[in-house]
């Protein structure tokens, strides 16, 4: 995770929540595939492995690695929704775990002599995933093992000791130096950790009710109502107000479709949700292709239908009269929130639209797998600006609080900052070595309630880390699939709070007062951390 100021410099010590995956194996699975045979029979002729089980593990792997759009395509083609697998029972990184165990079994097999005796130590060199399935490679490793064991043991021990010593004293990037529009050099610095940072159990409330992964969560902007969206085709509104009776209560927002004159569950993931600025309405987007508007009391106010396929992102404008949505059908739509009418559908992308963000009440930006970013305005028939420069799909875009700068992040491993005043990017930040999925501006600097604080930009890369700034910009929450939520001081770079939940973290968010953090998880739970003393 990197923190970057508006001048293109990393504002403080780079932090990354630890990930429980092997990055090299993750890269091998970038290509999407699925296992299915004619008539739905097992791909492998055994009673213990079914195609549905393999497909679900691959689907979950893609979700956890941040490939949400590939996961959707894979899930549709492999009919994940028709399986009877309870996703909340499957632990994070299950596919990587089972592959790692398989590698360990093969490595153990190599270390066994023909007479059945076992060598005294581990194999000379760990097998890669590809090596493990090539018989000749395994045989050659086994032959070489006995000859080089003594020499390699000494070398491996020295290497391991050196690596452990380095890991105890060094952390990833801290400061970026370099000219505008140029490459950036990253230097390292030690991580600062305050004394006792662990959040006690009495300061954490775990909310349960969802029956599948909880992908998203968002606080109501004026009260302690927390909305969450899940793979169980529901959103939920949790009441965390202290004056509510009986503790936290939940309203279940069931996403249904009309079939045979009856409302039935859509069985599709809720992909996105956003509160309007006065906290009276909640908009949700789903893989079923519908945008829905709900009251804060959980009543369905309207259903918006014009997208042909799943919705990947949606946002209210600040005024609260329009909702903007982006979908797999390559289009973005501005909806009239009061009438439910589609005011304008924009068809400028040549591939699925992945994210949208309002610049002001009439103008917005959209990004796509087509590598382009378009800035569009209501009632204009063509984009008012198009930014090109990314060399792979653009995953997310965010306007800074002043609406002057647009940040974008991509699978090309770069984060770019654009200005409406020029065609080329203002800054091309290359501080990551993997795909970037998340970016967030701090609520500081010009046009914010914290004008005297420097503006910062946080980004998170391949480990599926998520980030969110506190309302005053003094703290940043991060969560990852190591099940941990960390709270960082953005000025000093120190870790001030830490909490380990029960599932991998998909999303983190702050309430309006900045004293509570919500986190949604892969095991179906939603956790609320009370940061008051």
């Amino acid at each position: 995770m990197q923190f970057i100021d508006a001048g293109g410099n990393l504002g403080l010590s780079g932090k990354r929540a630890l990930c429980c995956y092997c990055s090299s194996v993750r890269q091998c699975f970038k290509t999407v595939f699925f296992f299915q045979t004619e008539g739905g029979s097992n791909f492998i002729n055994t009673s213990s492995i079914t195609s549905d089980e393999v497909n679900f593990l691959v689907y979950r792997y893609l979700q956890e690695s941040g490939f949400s759009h590939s996961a959707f395509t894979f899930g549709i083609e492999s009919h994940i929704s028709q399986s009877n697998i309870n996703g909340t029972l499957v632990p994070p990184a299950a596919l990587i775990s089972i592959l790692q165990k398989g590698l360990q079994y093969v490595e153990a097999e190599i270390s066994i002599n023909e007479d059945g005796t076992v060598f005294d130590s581990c194999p000379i060199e760990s097998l890669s995933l590809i090596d493990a399935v090539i018989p000749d490679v395994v045989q050659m490793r086994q032959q070489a093992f006995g000859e080089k064991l003594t020499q390699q043991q000494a070398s491996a021990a020295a290497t391991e000791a050196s690596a452990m010593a380095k890991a105890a004293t060094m952390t990833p990037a801290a400061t970026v130096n370099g000219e505008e529009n140029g490459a950036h050099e990253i230097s390292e610095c030690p991580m600062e950790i305050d004394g006792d940072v662990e959040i006690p159990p009495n300061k954490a409330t775990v909310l349960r009710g969802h029956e599948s992964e909880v992908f998203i969560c968002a606080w109501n902007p004026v009260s302690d109502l927390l909305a969450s969206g899940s793979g169980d085709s529901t959103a939920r509104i949790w009441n965390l107000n202290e004056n509510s009776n009986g503790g936290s209560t939940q309203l279940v927002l069931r996403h249904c479709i009309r079939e045979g004159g009856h409302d039935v569950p859509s069985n599709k993931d809720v992909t996105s949700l956003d509160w309007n600025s006065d906290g009276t309405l909640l908009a949700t987007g789903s893989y079923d292709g519908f945008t829905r508007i709900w009251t804060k009391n959980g009543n369905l106010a309207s259903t918006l239908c014009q997208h042909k396929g799943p919705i990947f992102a949606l946002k209210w404008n600040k005024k609260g009269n329009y909702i903007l949505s982006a979908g797999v059908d390559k289009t973005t739509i501005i909806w009239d929130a009061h009438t439910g009418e589609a005011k304008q559908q924009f068809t400028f992308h040549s591939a699925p639209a992945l994210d949208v963000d309002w610049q002001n009440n009439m103008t917005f930006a959209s990004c796509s797998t087509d590598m382009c970013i378009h800035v569009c305005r209501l009632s204009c028939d063509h984009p008012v600006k198009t930014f090109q420069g990314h060399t792979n799909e653009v995953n997310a875009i965010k306007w800074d609080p002043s609406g002057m700068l647009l940040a974008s992040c991509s699978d090309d491993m770069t984060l770019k900052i654009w200005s409406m005043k020029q065609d080329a990017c203002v800054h091309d930040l290359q501080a990551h070595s993997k795909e970037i999925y998340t970016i967030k501006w701090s609520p500081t600097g010009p046009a914010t309630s914290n004008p005297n604080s420097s503006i910062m930009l946080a980004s998170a890369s391949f480990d599926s880390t998520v980030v969110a700034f506190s309302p005053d910009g003094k703290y940043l929450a991060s969560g990852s699939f190591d099940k941990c939520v960390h709270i960082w001081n953005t000025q000093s770079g120190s870790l001030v709070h830490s909490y380990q939940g029960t599932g991998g973290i998909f999303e983190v968010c702050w309430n309006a007062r900045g004293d509570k953090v919500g986190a949604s998880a892969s095991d179906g739970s939603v956790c609320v951390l009370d940061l008051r003393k």
Side-chain angles (χ1 to χ4, degrees):
M1 185 168 61
Q2 310 290 355
F3 300 86
I4 305 165
D5 65 25
N9 298 315
L10 283 163
L12 53 100
S13 215
K15 303 294 192 296
R16 280 180 48 192
L18 293 177
C19 179
C20 56
Y21 315 126
C22 166
S23 60
S24 61
V25 176
R26 178 181 295 102
Q27 281 300 100
C28 296
F29 278 83
K30 176 67 174 176
T31 303
V32 178
F33 58 91
F34 69 96
F35 297 86
Q36 189 171 23
T37 56
E38 186 175 354
S41 60
N42 295 344
F43 182 76
I44 302 174
N45 187 21
T46 171
S47 60
S48 62
I49 301 176
T50 69
S51 60
D52 279 349
E53 292 170 337
V54 176
N55 287 338
F56 184 85
L57 292 180
V58 175
Y59 169 75
R60 171 65 70 79
Y61 166 81
L62 291 170
Q63 282 184 328
E64 294 172 350
S65 300
F67 305 129
S68 57
H69 313 297
S70 296
F72 160 72
T73 302
F74 179 82
I76 292 297
E77 294 184 3
S78 58
H79 306 293
I80 289 296
S81 63
Q82 298 176 17
S83 72
N84 59 357
I85 299 171
N86 185 343
T88 64
L89 301 179
V90 180
L95 180 61
I96 299 302
S97 176
I98 200 69
L99 288 174
Q100 186 62 48
K101 288 178 182 177
L103 285 176
Q104 290 171 348
Y105 284 130
V106 174
E107 289 174 350
E109 192 175 39
I110 291 176
S111 66
I112 298 176
N113 286 312
E114 292 182 0
D115 60 2
T117 59
V118 181
F119 287 118
D120 294 333
S121 186
C122 297
I124 297 174
E125 181 182 354
S126 295
L127 287 169
S128 73
L129 189 61
I130 298 300
D131 286 346
V133 298
I134 301 177
D136 289 347
V137 172
V138 174
Q139 185 177 11
M140 289 188 333
R141 292 281 181 90
Q142 196 165 19
Q143 292 173 347
F145 183 82
E147 301 172 3
K148 298 182 179 180
L149 181 59
T150 303
Q151 177 184 353
Q152 293 297 330
Q153 277 181 325
S155 176
T159 301
E160 182 178 1
S162 174
M164 290 178 65
K166 183 176 181 181
T169 57
M170 304 298 290
T171 63
T175 305
V176 169
N177 302 304
E179 297 297 325
E180 188 172 296
N181 299 315
H184 294 73
E185 179 184 354
I186 302 175
S187 60
E188 294 183 340
C189 73
M191 177 185 293
E192 299 177 15
I193 300 180
D194 289 352
D196 186 11
V197 300
E198 186 174 353
I199 295 176
N202 67 327
K203 291 289 187 178
T205 302
V206 180
L207 309 173
R208 298 196 180 274
H210 280 296
E211 298 173 0
S212 186
E213 304 94 332
V214 187
F215 301 119
I216 42 176
C217 59
W219 287 99
N220 184 293
V222 298
S223 66
D224 277 354
L225 298 177
L226 180 63
S228 58
S230 168
D232 63 7
S233 74
T234 75
R236 296 177 190 234
I237 298 176
W238 310 84
N239 190 344
L240 280 304
N241 290 301
E242 292 184 348
N243 58 1
S244 63
N245 295 325
S248 60
T249 58
Q250 59 175 305
L251 300 173
V252 181
L253 283 49
R254 301 192 184 280
H255 288 55
C256 297
I257 56 176
R258 199 73 176 169
E259 284 187 0
H262 301 283
D263 288 335
V264 298
S266 70
N267 293 324
K268 302 296 182 183
D269 298 351
V270 177
T271 61
S272 47
L273 50 78
D274 192 33
W275 290 97
N276 66 350
S277 57
D278 63 10
T280 57
L281 297 172
L282 176 72
T284 61
S286 170
Y287 273 162
D288 64 16
F290 295 100
T291 296
R292 295 172 174 86
I293 303 176
W294 313 78
T295 69
K296 67 178 182 180
N297 296 322
N299 298 317
L300 180 63
S302 26
T303 300
L304 315 180
C305 175
Q306 190 158 311
H307 278 294
K308 292 181 173 61
I311 294 170
F312 288 148
L314 60 77
K315 299 280 176 60
W316 287 89
N317 67 349
K318 186 174 182 180
K319 188 176 180 180
N321 57 333
Y322 294 135
I323 298 172
L324 175 63
S325 61
V328 74
D329 61 5
K330 310 175 188 177
T331 73
T332 54
I333 299 176
I334 291 180
W335 306 88
D336 187 314
H338 302 300
T339 66
E341 173 193 3
K343 296 291 291 184
Q344 188 170 348
Q345 187 164 19
F346 302 85
T347 59
F348 307 130
H349 286 295
S350 60
L354 303 184
D355 197 19
V356 287
D357 198 35
W358 291 98
Q359 183 188 30
N360 53 49
N361 285 314
M362 301 288 285
T363 306
F364 69 92
S366 62
C367 65
S368 166
T369 60
D370 65 7
M371 302 180 286
C372 290
I373 300 167
H374 295 307
V375 181
C376 303
R377 186 173 296 138
L378 185 64
S379 300
C380 290
D381 295 330
H382 302 282
V384 296
K385 192 81 173 178
T386 295
F387 296 124
Q388 293 179 301
H390 282 294
T391 57
N392 209 325
E393 65 181 63
V394 185
N395 294 311
I397 48 174
K398 293 289 184 298
W399 290 100
D400 80 324
S402 70
M404 301 296 292
L405 298 173
L406 179 69
S408 62
C409 62
S410 168
D411 274 4
D412 66 9
M413 300 177 285
T414 71
L415 186 156
K416 301 183 191 296
I417 299 176
W418 313 83
S419 168
M420 291 293 286
K421 297 179 181 179
Q422 66 184 61
D423 294 332
C425 63
V426 177
H427 298 289
D428 188 1
L429 305 171
Q430 302 178 26
H432 286 289
S433 60
K434 296 292 179 181
E435 297 88 343
I436 309 173
Y437 298 106
T438 302
I439 47 175
K440 294 286 176 64
W441 290 97
S442 62
T444 53
T448 73
S449 56
N450 310 293
N452 297 324
S453 300
S454 299
I455 189 169
M456 293 173 288
L457 181 66
S459 63
S461 185
F462 73 100
D463 59 2
S464 202
T465 301
V466 289
V467 291
F469 282 98
S470 63
D472 60 7
K474 294 181 179 179
Y475 299 97
L476 184 133
S478 68
S480 150
F481 255 77
D482 62 0
K483 305 181 183 181
C484 289
V485 177
H486 298 306
I487 312 296
W488 310 92
N489 183 308
T490 58
Q491 302 303 312
S492 66
S494 61
L495 176 66
V496 294
H497 295 294
S498 186
Y499 174 79
Q500 181 159 0
T502 55
I505 307 300
F506 275 114
E507 184 73 282
V508 290
C509 58
W510 293 81
N511 67 344
R513 294 189 306 276
D515 57 16
K516 292 179 183 177
V517 171
S520 59
S522 62
D523 67 345
S525 66
V526 180
C527 182
V528 177
L529 305 178
D530 188 341
L531 303 182
R532 293 173 295 180
K533 299 296 185 182

